[in-house]
Structures are given as structure tokens and as C-alpha cells.
Amino acid sequence: MDSIYLLNSLWVVLGAILVILMQGGFILLEAGSTRMKNAGHIAGKTIFTFGLASLVFWAVGFGFIFGDNANFFVGLSHFFYSGYELEGMNLSSSVFFLFQLAFAGIAITIALGGFAERAKMSIYLVFTVLFSALVYPVVAHWIWGGGWLAEHGKQDFAGSTVVHLTGAMAAFAATILLKPRIGKFNQDGSANNIFGHNQVFTALGVLVLWIGWFGFNAASTLGVEDGFFGYVALNTNLAAAAGAVAALIVSWAVLGKSDVPTMLNGALAGLVAITASCAFVDTWAAVLIGFIAGILVFYSVRFFEKRKIDDPIYALSVHGAAGVWGTISTGFFATPELAAVGKPGLFYGGGFEQLGVQIMGVGVSGAYAFAVSFIILFAAKKLMGGLRVTEEEEIMGLDMSEHGSYGYPEVFLSKEDKISS
């Protein structure tokens, strides 16, 4: 066993650990962005659904993505993966499996953001299983598993489409069927702000995600031989920085105040956008891609809100709109030297061919993720007596109504309870 094999395996398992750690970032981000009466529920369901998605990925997800004997949609082998070595890999196949599992876990966590503060726990269970088996693996196979979009040269280095857009479109289906939270919109259609309970948690969540993204993007090189992972990490950081700055500037210019949640969303939007292109573009393009993403997320949030779509953690804007932009951006900025997949972008003499492939990939993948997620949730709504907790339970908070205990018990206990305890 040579040293490069061992180094590659060590690097990618570190990347897998960083990506799994991103679940902690999502816990802080989502809990901080919502009300404290739901904080324990959000933390708990994130751990539970990651565990459930891991088991589904082990059973069928990995095989649907990377299995042999593939048909138009999926692969058809490597189910219930048991640790055996796969052909053509210069790292441990078990490490590769774990790395891919971590990505599947992120996709479902993004999707479930659209359920926040109003969905039944039972719906999380059902949707996690079916999304992890029927939605994410199909799109991932098309692009990463040698499927038909891969044959067209679709560029998506680390998952702006595969992970982020797929999760966002599932969240979109959920927001439509669940309908807005109580009190979000007035009868005249105007929106009320439902403030998150802890902006420090939200900021810390973004920082954890930012750090985890170096595993997400840089470890997607799957190796250390030429040190290229460092360049990918550099582009990742530049785009995140540009997204944060751009979002703060645009919020300051439009609102008259430098809005902190907008700035945080801008950093995440920059990270989402660069995920597709981090290995294919020059550093100046990474800055521009992140900067545009930061501006885009500001206006996207307002676009959806005006259409009475209640998206508590802004999955549609941060992961959806930025995911679309990031994927399409390679059709403009992919360089001849770096375009190891597909062809150079429009601004580098590649014409409109790669841009067309990117737009097609976004359209087909997003439509599939939305349609299948909508069908799953619509069927669950009919068969399980609804997707949403009762009005009384929503007002009480999902901590108590779904789990019987509060994430912040000392805040919600009555004075008598505090004295007696």
C-alpha cells in the first residue's frame, strides 16, 4: 500500500469529518434563525434525520449513485455497502463512501429547512427516507455517477446542483404544501418579521459551515498528489468573503442599515455558488461569483416573501438561487486550463455550448427534485392526515408538542415550577 493511497485516504476522511461537522453548523443556523420554543426540536431532528439518511444511503443511496449496470436514472449495484474496495480509486473505498454519505446528509438537512416550525416529526421521518432513496441519488447519479448529464459534460465540482439545488427544491415543495407559519403574513399580503431567537447562534453556525466547506469543496479533489486542493480552498474562501461583503453593502444601501442576517446569508450564498466552480475558475472569477451571489440572495429573499412563500431559514435563496447561479457561472468562467470536465466557458472562447449544458442541468435537476418531493409530500399529506401540527401545537412550540420538553426549560417553566424545582 503506497504512501499516496494513505495520504489521499487521510485527506478525504478529514474532509468527510468536516462535512459531517457542518450538521452542527446547520443546527446553530436553523435554531438561531427560528424561535426558542422550537430550538430543541430543530437540534434533535437534525441529528435524527442525519442518522436515518446515513442508513438509507448505506442501503440503497450509494448503489443508486455509483452502482454498475446503470439505467437512465440510477446505478444498480453496491447496495448495503460492506467495505469492499472499488475499482479505479487511489484511496480507501470506505473513505470515499463516508465522504459521499456526508454529502447526502447535507442535502436532506437543506431540504428539511423548508419544514421549520410547523411540520410533524413523522413527516420528517417519511420524507427523509424517500428523499434519500428517490431524489438525491438520482440527481447525483446523473452528474457524479456517470449518468447522462455527466456524458454531456455537466460541471458541478462539489455540488451546487447535486446537493444545494436539490435540497432547495425539496424545501420549495415543502413550503408550498405546508403553507406559511401562523402570523407570517397579514390579510393584505404584507409580511411580518418572525425574528430568530439568537443571532449569535446564527453567526456561529455560519462560521462552522464556512470551515466545514473546506472539506466540502477542497476534499472533493479526492487526493493530495498535486496540491490542487489548496487552490480549491482558496477560491472557496474568496467567494464566501465576497458574498458576505456584497450582501452587507446591498442591505446597507437599500435598507439604510447593515443587516446582519443578510450579511450571514451572503457568506453562505457565496459558498453555495462557488461549490460548482471552485476547481474550474480563476481567483478573480471566484470573487465575482461570490459577490454576485451575495447581491442575489438579498433580492431573492424579498422575491419569495412577496409571493407569500414562508422560508424560515432562506433555503430557497441561499441554496436555490445561489445554487443556480453558481452552476451556471462555470458556463461563463471555466478556463481551458482548469476545465477538467466539460469545456471552457463563454468568456474563454468556449462559446455557448458549456453554458447551455449548465442551464439544461440546472433545469432538469431542479424540476426532478421539486416534482418528486412534491409528490412524496402530497401523498404523505393524504395518507398521514396532514403534514402540519395543529394550530395549538404550533403556538405552543414543537419542543413541547412533539417531544414533551423544551430546549430552554428554564425560560418556559412557570414561576411555580421554578420554585418547586
Side-chain angles (χ1 to χ4, degrees), residues 311-343:
D311 181 19
I313 64 163
Y314 310 114
L316 305 184
S317 299
V318 170
H319 301 280
V324 169
W325 158 239
T327 305
I328 291 174
S329 70
T330 70
F332 293 107
F333 302 115
T335 73
E337 296 80 14
L338 296 173
V341 176
K343 297 185 177 180

mmCIF file of all heavy atoms in Angstrom, residues 311-343:
data_model
loop_
_atom_site.group_PDB
_atom_site.id
_atom_site.type_symbol
_atom_site.label_atom_id
_atom_site.label_comp_id
_atom_site.label_asym_id
_atom_site.label_seq_id
_atom_site.Cartn_x
_atom_site.Cartn_y
_atom_site.Cartn_z
ATOM 1 N N ASP A 311 -40.185 30.891 4.060
ATOM 2 C CA ASP A 311 -38.971 30.071 4.028
ATOM 3 C C ASP A 311 -38.116 30.468 5.230
ATOM 4 O O ASP A 311 -37.253 31.346 5.118
ATOM 5 C CB ASP A 311 -38.244 30.325 2.703
ATOM 6 C CG ASP A 311 -36.982 29.503 2.545
ATOM 7 O OD1 ASP A 311 -36.844 28.496 3.264
ATOM 8 O OD2 ASP A 311 -36.147 29.867 1.705
ATOM 9 N N PRO A 312 -38.325 29.834 6.389
ATOM 10 C CA PRO A 312 -37.744 30.348 7.642
ATOM 11 C C PRO A 312 -36.228 30.478 7.644
ATOM 12 O O PRO A 312 -35.693 31.401 8.270
ATOM 13 C CB PRO A 312 -38.200 29.312 8.681
ATOM 14 C CG PRO A 312 -39.425 28.704 8.092
ATOM 15 C CD PRO A 312 -39.201 28.683 6.612
ATOM 16 N N ILE A 313 -35.508 29.576 6.995
ATOM 17 C CA ILE A 313 -34.044 29.678 7.010
ATOM 18 C C ILE A 313 -33.489 30.045 5.628
ATOM 19 O O ILE A 313 -32.302 29.879 5.366
ATOM 20 C CB ILE A 313 -33.384 28.403 7.546
ATOM 21 C CG1 ILE A 313 -33.668 27.206 6.631
ATOM 22 C CG2 ILE A 313 -33.818 28.114 8.968
ATOM 23 C CD1 ILE A 313 -32.723 26.049 6.884
ATOM 24 N N TYR A 314 -34.357 30.507 4.747
ATOM 25 C CA TYR A 314 -33.954 31.034 3.440
ATOM 26 C C TYR A 314 -33.257 30.003 2.565
ATOM 27 O O TYR A 314 -32.330 30.323 1.812
ATOM 28 C CB TYR A 314 -33.061 32.278 3.616
ATOM 29 C CG TYR A 314 -33.645 33.303 4.550
ATOM 30 C CD1 TYR A 314 -33.038 33.600 5.768
ATOM 31 C CD2 TYR A 314 -34.835 33.961 4.229
ATOM 32 C CE1 TYR A 314 -33.592 34.533 6.648
ATOM 33 C CE2 TYR A 314 -35.388 34.896 5.095
ATOM 34 C CZ TYR A 314 -34.761 35.178 6.290
ATOM 35 O OH TYR A 314 -35.316 36.089 7.152
ATOM 36 N N ALA A 315 -33.741 28.764 2.619
ATOM 37 C CA ALA A 315 -33.148 27.704 1.802
ATOM 38 C C ALA A 315 -33.305 27.986 0.319
ATOM 39 O O ALA A 315 -32.403 27.697 -0.477
ATOM 40 C CB ALA A 315 -33.783 26.354 2.151
ATOM 41 N N LEU A 316 -34.444 28.561 -0.077
ATOM 42 C CA LEU A 316 -34.692 28.804 -1.499
ATOM 43 C C LEU A 316 -33.721 29.820 -2.065
ATOM 44 O O LEU A 316 -33.299 29.704 -3.227
ATOM 45 C CB LEU A 316 -36.128 29.294 -1.721
ATOM 46 C CG LEU A 316 -37.251 28.410 -1.179
ATOM 47 C CD1 LEU A 316 -38.600 28.985 -1.577
ATOM 48 C CD2 LEU A 316 -37.114 26.988 -1.682
ATOM 49 N N SER A 317 -33.359 30.800 -1.265
ATOM 50 C CA SER A 317 -32.465 31.851 -1.739
ATOM 51 C C SER A 317 -30.998 31.461 -1.589
ATOM 52 O O SER A 317 -30.213 31.563 -2.535
ATOM 53 C CB SER A 317 -32.739 33.146 -0.963
ATOM 54 O OG SER A 317 -34.079 33.570 -1.166
ATOM 55 N N VAL A 318 -30.625 30.983 -0.400
ATOM 56 C CA VAL A 318 -29.222 30.678 -0.132
ATOM 57 C C VAL A 318 -28.763 29.460 -0.927
ATOM 58 O O VAL A 318 -27.696 29.475 -1.551
ATOM 59 C CB VAL A 318 -29.009 30.451 1.374
ATOM 60 C CG1 VAL A 318 -27.622 29.894 1.650
ATOM 61 C CG2 VAL A 318 -29.217 31.752 2.143
ATOM 62 N N HIS A 319 -29.564 28.415 -0.928
ATOM 63 C CA HIS A 319 -29.164 27.172 -1.592
ATOM 64 C C HIS A 319 -29.755 27.030 -2.991
ATOM 65 O O HIS A 319 -29.157 26.382 -3.847
ATOM 66 C CB HIS A 319 -29.570 25.972 -0.733
ATOM 67 C CG HIS A 319 -28.969 25.989 0.631
ATOM 68 N ND1 HIS A 319 -27.678 25.578 0.877
ATOM 69 C CD2 HIS A 319 -29.482 26.394 1.823
ATOM 70 C CE1 HIS A 319 -27.417 25.717 2.168
ATOM 71 N NE2 HIS A 319 -28.487 26.220 2.767
ATOM 72 N N GLY A 320 -30.919 27.617 -3.207
ATOM 73 C CA GLY A 320 -31.575 27.512 -4.504
ATOM 74 C C GLY A 320 -31.070 28.529 -5.511
ATOM 75 O O GLY A 320 -30.425 28.183 -6.502
ATOM 76 N N ALA A 321 -31.349 29.806 -5.265
ATOM 77 C CA ALA A 321 -30.939 30.849 -6.207
ATOM 78 C C ALA A 321 -29.423 30.882 -6.370
ATOM 79 O O ALA A 321 -28.901 30.955 -7.497
ATOM 80 C CB ALA A 321 -31.455 32.212 -5.728
ATOM 81 N N ALA A 322 -28.693 30.807 -5.265
ATOM 82 C CA ALA A 322 -27.228 30.811 -5.355
ATOM 83 C C ALA A 322 -26.711 29.536 -6.001
ATOM 84 O O ALA A 322 -25.688 29.548 -6.702
ATOM 85 C CB ALA A 322 -26.610 30.993 -3.965
ATOM 86 N N GLY A 323 -27.396 28.415 -5.775
ATOM 87 C CA GLY A 323 -27.002 27.169 -6.424
ATOM 88 C C GLY A 323 -27.165 27.226 -7.927
ATOM 89 O O GLY A 323 -26.307 26.724 -8.681
ATOM 90 N N VAL A 324 -28.240 27.847 -8.380
ATOM 91 C CA VAL A 324 -28.462 28.021 -9.818
ATOM 92 C C VAL A 324 -27.369 28.916 -10.412
ATOM 93 O O VAL A 324 -26.744 28.576 -11.433
ATOM 94 C CB VAL A 324 -29.855 28.622 -10.082
ATOM 95 C CG1 VAL A 324 -29.988 29.051 -11.543
ATOM 96 C CG2 VAL A 324 -30.945 27.611 -9.739
ATOM 97 N N TRP A 325 -27.141 30.060 -9.762
ATOM 98 C CA TRP A 325 -26.127 30.983 -10.263
ATOM 99 C C TRP A 325 -24.749 30.329 -10.285
ATOM 100 O O TRP A 325 -24.007 30.417 -11.263
ATOM 101 C CB TRP A 325 -26.096 32.257 -9.430
ATOM 102 C CG TRP A 325 -24.805 33.022 -9.521
ATOM 103 C CD1 TRP A 325 -23.970 33.340 -8.508
ATOM 104 C CD2 TRP A 325 -24.182 33.532 -10.712
ATOM 105 N NE1 TRP A 325 -22.873 34.027 -8.965
ATOM 106 C CE2 TRP A 325 -22.971 34.157 -10.320
ATOM 107 C CE3 TRP A 325 -24.520 33.529 -12.064
ATOM 108 C CZ2 TRP A 325 -22.111 34.763 -11.225
ATOM 109 C CZ3 TRP A 325 -23.657 34.135 -12.982
ATOM 110 C CH2 TRP A 325 -22.465 34.744 -12.559
ATOM 111 N N GLY A 326 -24.394 29.647 -9.216
ATOM 112 C CA GLY A 326 -23.077 29.030 -9.144
ATOM 113 C C GLY A 326 -22.871 27.987 -10.225
ATOM 114 O O GLY A 326 -21.788 27.892 -10.818
ATOM 115 N N THR A 327 -23.901 27.202 -10.505
ATOM 116 C CA THR A 327 -23.789 26.177 -11.540
ATOM 117 C C THR A 327 -23.663 26.805 -12.921
ATOM 118 O O THR A 327 -22.834 26.383 -13.740
ATOM 119 C CB THR A 327 -24.997 25.238 -11.499
ATOM 120 O OG1 THR A 327 -25.132 24.690 -10.181
ATOM 121 C CG2 THR A 327 -24.833 24.098 -12.490
ATOM 122 N N ILE A 328 -24.470 27.798 -13.182
ATOM 123 C CA ILE A 328 -24.431 28.450 -14.488
ATOM 124 C C ILE A 328 -23.123 29.213 -14.684
ATOM 125 O O ILE A 328 -22.622 29.338 -15.807
ATOM 126 C CB ILE A 328 -25.651 29.387 -14.642
ATOM 127 C CG1 ILE A 328 -26.938 28.554 -14.739
ATOM 128 C CG2 ILE A 328 -25.509 30.291 -15.865
ATOM 129 C CD1 ILE A 328 -28.202 29.384 -14.757
ATOM 130 N N SER A 329 -22.533 29.695 -13.583
ATOM 131 C CA SER A 329 -21.348 30.548 -13.690
ATOM 132 C C SER A 329 -20.181 29.859 -14.390
ATOM 133 O O SER A 329 -19.371 30.518 -15.047
ATOM 134 C CB SER A 329 -20.906 31.030 -12.301
ATOM 135 O OG SER A 329 -20.363 29.965 -11.536
ATOM 136 N N THR A 330 -20.082 28.534 -14.270
ATOM 137 C CA THR A 330 -18.977 27.862 -14.952
ATOM 138 C C THR A 330 -19.120 27.960 -16.464
ATOM 139 O O THR A 330 -18.128 27.918 -17.190
ATOM 140 C CB THR A 330 -18.874 26.371 -14.547
ATOM 141 O OG1 THR A 330 -19.972 25.655 -15.083
ATOM 142 C CG2 THR A 330 -18.821 26.220 -13.049
ATOM 143 N N GLY A 331 -20.360 28.103 -16.930
ATOM 144 C CA GLY A 331 -20.581 28.282 -18.362
ATOM 145 C C GLY A 331 -20.041 29.594 -18.878
ATOM 146 O O GLY A 331 -19.866 29.768 -20.094
ATOM 147 N N PHE A 332 -19.756 30.522 -17.963
ATOM 148 C CA PHE A 332 -19.123 31.789 -18.332
ATOM 149 C C PHE A 332 -17.614 31.781 -18.053
ATOM 150 O O PHE A 332 -16.828 32.280 -18.849
ATOM 151 C CB PHE A 332 -19.743 32.950 -17.543
ATOM 152 C CG PHE A 332 -21.176 33.234 -17.878
ATOM 153 C CD1 PHE A 332 -22.187 32.897 -17.000
ATOM 154 C CD2 PHE A 332 -21.513 33.842 -19.081
ATOM 155 C CE1 PHE A 332 -23.508 33.165 -17.295
ATOM 156 C CE2 PHE A 332 -22.833 34.128 -19.392
ATOM 157 C CZ PHE A 332 -23.840 33.785 -18.495
ATOM 158 N N PHE A 333 -17.218 31.224 -16.883
ATOM 159 C CA PHE A 333 -15.880 31.474 -16.362
ATOM 160 C C PHE A 333 -14.933 30.283 -16.345
ATOM 161 O O PHE A 333 -13.771 30.443 -15.973
ATOM 162 C CB PHE A 333 -15.987 32.024 -14.931
ATOM 163 C CG PHE A 333 -16.785 33.293 -14.814
ATOM 164 C CD1 PHE A 333 -17.982 33.315 -14.114
ATOM 165 C CD2 PHE A 333 -16.351 34.466 -15.407
ATOM 166 C CE1 PHE A 333 -18.722 34.476 -13.995
ATOM 167 C CE2 PHE A 333 -17.079 35.638 -15.298
ATOM 168 C CZ PHE A 333 -18.275 35.644 -14.594
ATOM 169 N N ALA A 334 -15.385 29.082 -16.699
ATOM 170 C CA ALA A 334 -14.476 27.928 -16.693
ATOM 171 C C ALA A 334 -13.331 28.164 -17.673
ATOM 172 O O ALA A 334 -13.552 28.525 -18.834
ATOM 173 C CB ALA A 334 -15.232 26.660 -17.058
ATOM 174 N N THR A 335 -12.099 27.971 -17.209
ATOM 175 C CA THR A 335 -10.936 28.259 -18.050
ATOM 176 C C THR A 335 -10.486 27.005 -18.804
ATOM 177 O O THR A 335 -10.709 25.876 -18.340
ATOM 178 C CB THR A 335 -9.759 28.778 -17.216
ATOM 179 O OG1 THR A 335 -9.202 27.690 -16.474
ATOM 180 C CG2 THR A 335 -10.208 29.867 -16.251
ATOM 181 N N PRO A 336 -9.835 27.165 -19.927
ATOM 182 C CA PRO A 336 -9.336 25.982 -20.667
ATOM 183 C C PRO A 336 -8.371 25.139 -19.846
ATOM 184 O O PRO A 336 -8.353 23.917 -19.969
ATOM 185 C CB PRO A 336 -8.636 26.611 -21.879
ATOM 186 C CG PRO A 336 -9.257 27.952 -22.041
ATOM 187 C CD PRO A 336 -9.583 28.422 -20.661
ATOM 188 N N GLU A 337 -7.581 25.778 -18.995
ATOM 189 C CA GLU A 337 -6.593 25.049 -18.198
ATOM 190 C C GLU A 337 -7.237 24.250 -17.078
ATOM 191 O O GLU A 337 -6.717 23.192 -16.682
ATOM 192 C CB GLU A 337 -5.572 26.027 -17.598
ATOM 193 C CG GLU A 337 -4.723 26.776 -18.611
ATOM 194 C CD GLU A 337 -5.468 27.962 -19.234
ATOM 195 O OE1 GLU A 337 -6.529 28.375 -18.696
ATOM 196 O OE2 GLU A 337 -4.993 28.472 -20.276
ATOM 197 N N LEU A 338 -8.347 24.735 -16.544
ATOM 198 C CA LEU A 338 -8.946 24.119 -15.357
ATOM 199 C C LEU A 338 -10.172 23.261 -15.650
ATOM 200 O O LEU A 338 -10.600 22.497 -14.781
ATOM 201 C CB LEU A 338 -9.325 25.206 -14.345
ATOM 202 C CG LEU A 338 -8.164 26.009 -13.758
ATOM 203 C CD1 LEU A 338 -8.691 27.156 -12.900
ATOM 204 C CD2 LEU A 338 -7.242 25.120 -12.939
ATOM 205 N N ALA A 339 -10.734 23.382 -16.836
ATOM 206 C CA ALA A 339 -11.967 22.664 -17.159
ATOM 207 C C ALA A 339 -11.673 21.192 -17.428
ATOM 208 O O ALA A 339 -11.702 20.714 -18.563
ATOM 209 C CB ALA A 339 -12.656 23.310 -18.361
ATOM 210 N N ALA A 340 -11.428 20.450 -16.338
ATOM 211 C CA ALA A 340 -11.157 19.016 -16.462
ATOM 212 C C ALA A 340 -12.403 18.244 -16.855
ATOM 213 O O ALA A 340 -12.327 17.128 -17.371
ATOM 214 C CB ALA A 340 -10.617 18.474 -15.138
ATOM 215 N N VAL A 341 -13.563 18.832 -16.599
ATOM 216 C CA VAL A 341 -14.851 18.278 -17.013
ATOM 217 C C VAL A 341 -15.502 19.283 -17.952
ATOM 218 O O VAL A 341 -15.455 20.487 -17.713
ATOM 219 C CB VAL A 341 -15.759 18.033 -15.792
ATOM 220 C CG1 VAL A 341 -17.144 17.558 -16.227
ATOM 221 C CG2 VAL A 341 -15.121 17.038 -14.845
ATOM 222 N N GLY A 342 -16.096 18.803 -19.031
ATOM 223 C CA GLY A 342 -16.775 19.709 -19.946
ATOM 224 C C GLY A 342 -15.809 20.569 -20.740
ATOM 225 O O GLY A 342 -14.660 20.180 -20.993
ATOM 226 N N LYS A 343 -16.250 21.774 -21.085
ATOM 227 C CA LYS A 343 -15.484 22.662 -21.957
ATOM 228 C C LYS A 343 -15.334 24.037 -21.325
ATOM 229 O O LYS A 343 -16.027 24.359 -20.349
ATOM 230 C CB LYS A 343 -16.177 22.768 -23.314
ATOM 231 C CG LYS A 343 -16.236 21.427 -24.052
ATOM 232 C CD LYS A 343 -16.823 21.578 -25.438
ATOM 233 C CE LYS A 343 -16.792 20.235 -26.179
ATOM 234 N NZ LYS A 343 -17.360 20.342 -27.536
#
